[in-house]
Amino acid sequence: MSEWLGWLRRVAGKTPSALISILASEGSAPRGAGTRMLVTGEALHGTIGGGQLEYRAVEQARAILALPPGHWRVQDYPLGPLLGQCCGGRVRLLIEHCDPTAMDWLADAADERILVSTFLPDRVDRHVSDHALPSSLSARGDRPRAGDSLAEIIGQHRRPLYLFGAGHVGQAIARHAVNLPFRLSWFDTRPVFETIEGVAVVPEAAIEQCVADAPDDAAILILTHDHGLDYRLTHAALNRSPCAYIGLIGSATKGARFHARLTRDGIDTHARGRLTSPIGVPGVTGKEPDVIAIAVLAQLLQLRNA
């Protein structure tokens, strides 16, 4: 994920270049926060996911090359209308004309160090730190303004976390996942939750497509308000190509009932063995949403060591 540093070192110091950075994403976005690509008048380095999103971003990047070095803008793209994605969502991009005279920070940039970017009226000022606390920006609401800052860990892999359900437990998981190495894609079918930052409200008839859209290294967590919807999502998850984790909230009794029904519906033993239910680190028995959230996220963090 730190290839872009090499592009800046090799290309941006010699050729007028624009850097495209994903600041934040929501829903089933093709790439997550921290993904970057470099654009020159003749070439592209890297990708933010291809398709119409990338096409339009590249147009914006080449347009910004006509402005003085350091100039930047933040651009929002709604993924449903733009890309025809039933799972909706949005992406917030930073597009900036690279200033080759303001790249001293590259000498200190390395994986696992923290890059601090501060938005100034005429440029994005950057420095590398070992002590700043990682932060994140939103894909909706007010855009970053002059004086705002972002701190990110260079080269950190963020596992895609596809979270289905925006009730109390879902909200607790999303809250505690902030600053952990996850890229959250959060879904619900109920319009009442569209005001919660990060939630993509998807029609119930299309919700299984969001499971199909998850990358193969994703963790899928299913904890909706409805057992029937939980089953549809579980069936879709087990019926697709394998992913890193499939978790279903509920008791052992619920898990046993789902296994029996999955067997009747033709899901074989190997596929059913990929389902984790109940979810969370064994031995943590609290029912409070925050307790469940921490136990589940701890279990997902163990995937990194597996």
Short mmCIF file of all heavy atoms in Angstrom, two decimals, residues 231-268:
data_model
loop_
_atom_site.label_atom_id
_atom_site.label_comp_id
_atom_site.label_asym_id
_atom_site.label_seq_id
_atom_site.Cartn_x
_atom_site.Cartn_y
_atom_site.Cartn_z
N TYR A 231 -30.43 -15.36 7.50
CA TYR A 231 -30.23 -16.62 6.78
C TYR A 231 -29.87 -16.37 5.32
O TYR A 231 -28.97 -17.02 4.78
CB TYR A 231 -31.47 -17.51 6.87
CG TYR A 231 -31.26 -18.83 6.15
CD1 TYR A 231 -30.54 -19.84 6.77
CD2 TYR A 231 -31.71 -19.02 4.85
CE1 TYR A 231 -30.28 -21.03 6.09
CE2 TYR A 231 -31.45 -20.20 4.18
CZ TYR A 231 -30.74 -21.21 4.81
OH TYR A 231 -30.46 -22.37 4.13
N ARG A 232 -30.58 -15.46 4.67
CA ARG A 232 -30.29 -15.16 3.27
C ARG A 232 -28.84 -14.70 3.10
O ARG A 232 -28.15 -15.12 2.16
CB ARG A 232 -31.24 -14.08 2.74
CG ARG A 232 -32.67 -14.57 2.52
CD ARG A 232 -33.58 -13.40 2.20
NE ARG A 232 -33.04 -12.56 1.13
CZ ARG A 232 -33.48 -11.32 0.88
NH1 ARG A 232 -34.44 -10.79 1.64
NH2 ARG A 232 -32.97 -10.62 -0.12
N LEU A 233 -28.39 -13.85 4.00
CA LEU A 233 -27.02 -13.35 3.91
C LEU A 233 -26.01 -14.46 4.19
O LEU A 233 -24.96 -14.54 3.54
CB LEU A 233 -26.83 -12.19 4.89
CG LEU A 233 -27.60 -10.91 4.55
CD1 LEU A 233 -27.57 -9.94 5.73
CD2 LEU A 233 -27.01 -10.25 3.30
N THR A 234 -26.32 -15.31 5.18
CA THR A 234 -25.42 -16.42 5.50
C THR A 234 -25.32 -17.38 4.31
O THR A 234 -24.22 -17.82 3.93
CB THR A 234 -25.92 -17.17 6.74
OG1 THR A 234 -25.99 -16.26 7.84
CG2 THR A 234 -25.01 -18.32 7.10
N HIS A 235 -26.45 -17.70 3.73
CA HIS A 235 -26.47 -18.59 2.56
C HIS A 235 -25.65 -17.99 1.42
O HIS A 235 -24.84 -18.68 0.77
CB HIS A 235 -27.91 -18.84 2.12
CG HIS A 235 -28.06 -19.87 1.04
ND1 HIS A 235 -27.85 -19.58 -0.30
CD2 HIS A 235 -28.38 -21.20 1.09
CE1 HIS A 235 -28.06 -20.67 -1.02
NE2 HIS A 235 -28.37 -21.67 -0.20
N ALA A 236 -25.83 -16.70 1.17
CA ALA A 236 -25.09 -16.03 0.10
C ALA A 236 -23.59 -16.04 0.38
O ALA A 236 -22.77 -16.24 -0.52
CB ALA A 236 -25.59 -14.61 -0.08
N ALA A 237 -23.22 -15.83 1.64
CA ALA A 237 -21.80 -15.79 1.99
C ALA A 237 -21.14 -17.15 1.83
O ALA A 237 -19.99 -17.26 1.36
CB ALA A 237 -21.63 -15.29 3.42
N LEU A 238 -21.84 -18.22 2.20
CA LEU A 238 -21.27 -19.57 2.09
C LEU A 238 -21.30 -20.08 0.66
O LEU A 238 -20.58 -21.02 0.31
CB LEU A 238 -22.04 -20.53 3.00
CG LEU A 238 -21.94 -20.24 4.50
CD1 LEU A 238 -22.82 -21.21 5.28
CD2 LEU A 238 -20.50 -20.33 4.99
N ASN A 239 -22.12 -19.46 -0.17
CA ASN A 239 -22.31 -19.91 -1.54
C ASN A 239 -21.38 -19.18 -2.52
O ASN A 239 -21.38 -19.50 -3.70
CB ASN A 239 -23.76 -19.70 -1.98
CG ASN A 239 -24.22 -20.75 -2.96
OD1 ASN A 239 -23.77 -21.88 -2.95
ND2 ASN A 239 -25.12 -20.35 -3.86
N ARG A 240 -20.62 -18.21 -2.03
CA ARG A 240 -19.69 -17.46 -2.88
C ARG A 240 -18.29 -18.01 -2.70
O ARG A 240 -18.06 -18.95 -1.93
CB ARG A 240 -19.72 -15.96 -2.52
CG ARG A 240 -19.55 -15.65 -1.05
CD ARG A 240 -18.94 -14.28 -0.81
NE ARG A 240 -17.51 -14.28 -1.11
CZ ARG A 240 -16.79 -13.20 -1.33
NH1 ARG A 240 -17.35 -12.01 -1.31
NH2 ARG A 240 -15.48 -13.29 -1.57
N SER A 241 -17.31 -17.40 -3.40
CA SER A 241 -15.93 -17.81 -3.22
C SER A 241 -15.52 -17.57 -1.77
O SER A 241 -16.03 -16.66 -1.12
CB SER A 241 -15.02 -17.03 -4.16
OG SER A 241 -15.12 -15.65 -3.92
N PRO A 242 -14.61 -18.37 -1.23
CA PRO A 242 -14.24 -18.23 0.18
C PRO A 242 -13.72 -16.83 0.50
O PRO A 242 -13.08 -16.18 -0.32
CB PRO A 242 -13.14 -19.29 0.36
CG PRO A 242 -13.42 -20.30 -0.70
CD PRO A 242 -13.94 -19.51 -1.87
N CYS A 243 -14.02 -16.38 1.71
CA CYS A 243 -13.45 -15.13 2.20
C CYS A 243 -12.81 -15.42 3.56
O CYS A 243 -12.82 -16.55 4.05
CB CYS A 243 -14.51 -14.04 2.29
SG CYS A 243 -15.97 -14.49 3.21
N ALA A 244 -12.25 -14.39 4.18
CA ALA A 244 -11.42 -14.62 5.37
C ALA A 244 -12.24 -15.06 6.58
O ALA A 244 -11.73 -15.81 7.42
CB ALA A 244 -10.64 -13.34 5.70
N TYR A 245 -13.50 -14.62 6.66
CA TYR A 245 -14.29 -14.88 7.87
C TYR A 245 -15.74 -14.63 7.55
O TYR A 245 -16.09 -13.64 6.88
CB TYR A 245 -13.81 -13.94 8.99
CG TYR A 245 -14.58 -14.00 10.29
CD1 TYR A 245 -14.12 -14.78 11.35
CD2 TYR A 245 -15.72 -13.24 10.49
CE1 TYR A 245 -14.80 -14.80 12.56
CE2 TYR A 245 -16.41 -13.25 11.70
CZ TYR A 245 -15.94 -14.04 12.73
OH TYR A 245 -16.61 -14.07 13.94
N ILE A 246 -16.60 -15.51 8.03
CA ILE A 246 -18.06 -15.32 7.95
C ILE A 246 -18.60 -15.54 9.35
O ILE A 246 -18.48 -16.64 9.91
CB ILE A 246 -18.73 -16.30 6.97
CG1 ILE A 246 -18.13 -16.15 5.57
CG2 ILE A 246 -20.24 -16.08 6.93
CD1 ILE A 246 -18.54 -17.26 4.62
N GLY A 247 -19.16 -14.51 9.95
CA GLY A 247 -19.65 -14.59 11.32
C GLY A 247 -21.12 -14.27 11.40
O GLY A 247 -21.60 -13.31 10.78
N LEU A 248 -21.85 -15.04 12.17
CA LEU A 248 -23.29 -14.88 12.37
C LEU A 248 -23.56 -14.70 13.85
O LEU A 248 -23.19 -15.55 14.66
CB LEU A 248 -24.04 -16.11 11.84
CG LEU A 248 -25.52 -16.24 12.20
CD1 LEU A 248 -26.34 -15.16 11.48
CD2 LEU A 248 -26.04 -17.64 11.86
N ILE A 249 -24.22 -13.60 14.21
CA ILE A 249 -24.53 -13.37 15.60
C ILE A 249 -25.66 -14.31 16.05
O ILE A 249 -26.50 -14.71 15.24
CB ILE A 249 -24.93 -11.90 15.84
CG1 ILE A 249 -24.83 -11.55 17.32
CG2 ILE A 249 -26.31 -11.61 15.29
CD1 ILE A 249 -24.94 -10.07 17.62
N GLY A 250 -25.64 -14.66 17.32
CA GLY A 250 -26.73 -15.47 17.86
C GLY A 250 -26.21 -16.57 18.76
O GLY A 250 -25.02 -16.78 18.91
N SER A 251 -27.14 -17.29 19.32
CA SER A 251 -26.83 -18.36 20.24
C SER A 251 -26.38 -19.62 19.49
O SER A 251 -26.51 -19.72 18.27
CB SER A 251 -28.06 -18.70 21.07
OG SER A 251 -29.09 -19.21 20.23
N ALA A 252 -25.90 -20.59 20.26
CA ALA A 252 -25.56 -21.88 19.66
C ALA A 252 -26.80 -22.55 19.07
O ALA A 252 -26.71 -23.24 18.05
CB ALA A 252 -24.92 -22.78 20.72
N THR A 253 -27.94 -22.33 19.69
CA THR A 253 -29.19 -22.91 19.17
C THR A 253 -29.53 -22.33 17.81
O THR A 253 -29.89 -23.06 16.87
CB THR A 253 -30.35 -22.63 20.16
OG1 THR A 253 -30.04 -23.23 21.41
CG2 THR A 253 -31.65 -23.20 19.62
N LYS A 254 -29.38 -21.00 17.66
CA LYS A 254 -29.63 -20.37 16.36
C LYS A 254 -28.66 -20.93 15.33
O LYS A 254 -29.05 -21.24 14.19
CB LYS A 254 -29.48 -18.86 16.47
CG LYS A 254 -29.64 -18.12 15.14
CD LYS A 254 -29.43 -16.62 15.30
CE LYS A 254 -29.48 -15.88 13.98
NZ LYS A 254 -29.27 -14.42 14.11
N GLY A 255 -27.38 -21.06 15.71
CA GLY A 255 -26.39 -21.60 14.79
C GLY A 255 -26.74 -23.00 14.33
O GLY A 255 -26.61 -23.33 13.15
N ALA A 256 -27.20 -23.84 15.27
CA ALA A 256 -27.57 -25.22 14.92
C ALA A 256 -28.75 -25.25 13.96
O ALA A 256 -28.77 -26.05 13.01
CB ALA A 256 -27.89 -26.00 16.19
N ARG A 257 -29.72 -24.37 14.19
CA ARG A 257 -30.89 -24.32 13.29
C ARG A 257 -30.46 -23.88 11.88
O ARG A 257 -30.94 -24.42 10.89
CB ARG A 257 -31.93 -23.36 13.85
CG ARG A 257 -32.64 -23.90 15.10
CD ARG A 257 -33.56 -22.86 15.69
NE ARG A 257 -34.29 -23.39 16.84
CZ ARG A 257 -34.99 -22.63 17.69
NH1 ARG A 257 -35.04 -21.31 17.52
NH2 ARG A 257 -35.63 -23.19 18.70
N PHE A 258 -29.56 -22.90 11.82
CA PHE A 258 -29.09 -22.44 10.52
C PHE A 258 -28.32 -23.56 9.81
O PHE A 258 -28.49 -23.76 8.60
CB PHE A 258 -28.21 -21.20 10.68
CG PHE A 258 -28.98 -19.90 10.66
CD1 PHE A 258 -30.13 -19.73 11.40
CD2 PHE A 258 -28.54 -18.84 9.90
CE1 PHE A 258 -30.84 -18.54 11.38
CE2 PHE A 258 -29.23 -17.63 9.86
CZ PHE A 258 -30.39 -17.48 10.61
N HIS A 259 -27.48 -24.29 10.55
CA HIS A 259 -26.72 -25.38 9.93
C HIS A 259 -27.66 -26.43 9.36
O HIS A 259 -27.42 -26.95 8.25
CB HIS A 259 -25.77 -26.00 10.96
CG HIS A 259 -24.44 -25.31 11.05
ND1 HIS A 259 -23.43 -25.49 10.13
CD2 HIS A 259 -23.97 -24.41 11.96
CE1 HIS A 259 -22.39 -24.75 10.46
NE2 HIS A 259 -22.68 -24.08 11.57
N ALA A 260 -28.72 -26.76 10.10
CA ALA A 260 -29.66 -27.76 9.61
C ALA A 260 -30.35 -27.27 8.33
O ALA A 260 -30.51 -28.04 7.36
CB ALA A 260 -30.70 -28.06 10.70
N ARG A 261 -30.75 -26.02 8.33
CA ARG A 261 -31.42 -25.48 7.14
C ARG A 261 -30.45 -25.37 5.97
O ARG A 261 -30.82 -25.66 4.82
CB ARG A 261 -32.03 -24.12 7.47
CG ARG A 261 -32.86 -23.52 6.34
CD ARG A 261 -33.54 -22.24 6.78
NE ARG A 261 -34.19 -21.61 5.65
CZ ARG A 261 -34.77 -20.41 5.70
NH1 ARG A 261 -34.79 -19.73 6.85
NH2 ARG A 261 -35.33 -19.89 4.64
N LEU A 262 -29.22 -24.98 6.22
CA LEU A 262 -28.22 -24.89 5.16
C LEU A 262 -27.96 -26.25 4.53
O LEU A 262 -27.79 -26.37 3.31
CB LEU A 262 -26.91 -24.31 5.72
CG LEU A 262 -26.95 -22.82 6.09
CD1 LEU A 262 -25.75 -22.47 6.96
CD2 LEU A 262 -26.97 -21.95 4.84
N THR A 263 -27.96 -27.29 5.38
CA THR A 263 -27.78 -28.66 4.86
C THR A 263 -28.93 -29.02 3.92
O THR A 263 -28.71 -29.55 2.83
CB THR A 263 -27.71 -29.66 6.02
OG1 THR A 263 -26.62 -29.32 6.88
CG2 THR A 263 -27.52 -31.07 5.50
N ARG A 264 -30.16 -28.70 4.35
CA ARG A 264 -31.32 -28.99 3.50
C ARG A 264 -31.26 -28.22 2.19
O ARG A 264 -31.75 -28.68 1.16
CB ARG A 264 -32.62 -28.66 4.25
CG ARG A 264 -32.90 -29.55 5.44
CD ARG A 264 -34.36 -29.41 5.90
NE ARG A 264 -34.69 -28.05 6.30
CZ ARG A 264 -34.54 -27.58 7.55
NH1 ARG A 264 -34.06 -28.38 8.49
NH2 ARG A 264 -34.89 -26.34 7.84
N ASP A 265 -30.64 -27.03 2.22
CA ASP A 265 -30.58 -26.19 1.03
C ASP A 265 -29.34 -26.44 0.19
O ASP A 265 -29.03 -25.67 -0.73
CB ASP A 265 -30.64 -24.71 1.43
CG ASP A 265 -32.04 -24.30 1.91
OD1 ASP A 265 -32.99 -25.06 1.63
OD2 ASP A 265 -32.16 -23.24 2.53
N GLY A 266 -28.60 -27.52 0.49
CA GLY A 266 -27.52 -27.96 -0.38
C GLY A 266 -26.16 -27.37 -0.10
O GLY A 266 -25.24 -27.54 -0.91
N ILE A 267 -25.97 -26.69 1.04
CA ILE A 267 -24.65 -26.18 1.40
C ILE A 267 -23.88 -27.32 2.07
O ILE A 267 -24.30 -27.84 3.10
CB ILE A 267 -24.75 -24.97 2.36
CG1 ILE A 267 -25.57 -23.86 1.70
CG2 ILE A 267 -23.37 -24.48 2.73
CD1 ILE A 267 -24.96 -23.28 0.44
N ASP A 268 -22.76 -27.70 1.49
CA ASP A 268 -22.06 -28.91 1.96
C ASP A 268 -21.31 -28.66 3.27
O ASP A 268 -21.18 -27.52 3.74
CB ASP A 268 -21.13 -29.46 0.88
CG ASP A 268 -20.00 -28.51 0.50
OD1 ASP A 268 -19.54 -27.73 1.36
OD2 ASP A 268 -19.59 -28.53 -0.67
#
